[in-house]
Amino acid sequence: MSKICIACGMPMEKKEDFAMGDMSKDYCKYCAREDGSMKSYEECVDGMTGFLVQSQGFDEGVAREMAKKNLAKLPAWKDRIS
């Protein structure tokens, strides 16, 4: 079973990739809070920004703009005006 996280776009292929290991969820472990609920848009922007800075070495401002552009394309945020 392979899904794409509706909040960040991460491929979810294994049970461990899903929020709380629940394969019926539409979002990944990185977009879930400790209680299993989906993080807010702002929390996801912060998380993706940090990921881009750490993994790609981007400047934080550039990474934040990239994160917002990427998230704007995803189902969880389609109605959000950035």
Side-chain angles (χ1 to χ4, degrees):
M1 175 182 209
S2 183
K3 283 185 176 180
I4 301 294
C5 176
I6 64 168
C8 76
M10 180 182 121
M12 301 182 298
E13 299 173 353
K14 301 174 292 204
K15 183 178 179 180
E16 301 81 38
D17 296 335
F18 291 79
M20 300 188 80
D22 182 350
M23 295 178 76
S24 70
K25 300 272 189 201
D26 291 328
Y27 49 95
C28 73
K29 63 184 178 181
Y30 300 109
C31 292
R33 294 186 182 113
E34 286 187 25
D35 68 359
S37 63
M38 192 171 81
K39 291 181 178 178
S40 69
Y41 173 78
E42 290 77 17
E43 290 171 308
C44 288
V45 168
D46 289 345
M48 186 174 279
T49 298
F51 172 77
L52 291 170
V53 168
Q54 183 178 6
S55 67
Q56 304 296 317
F58 289 115
D59 170 80
E60 187 171 344
V62 171
R64 185 165 295 280
E65 287 307 308
M66 289 176 68
K68 288 180 179 180
K69 286 180 183 177
N70 287 329
L71 293 178
K73 300 173 189 173
L74 297 166
W77 319 118
K78 66 180 179 158
D79 296 329
R80 177 157 184 94
I81 300 170
S82 302

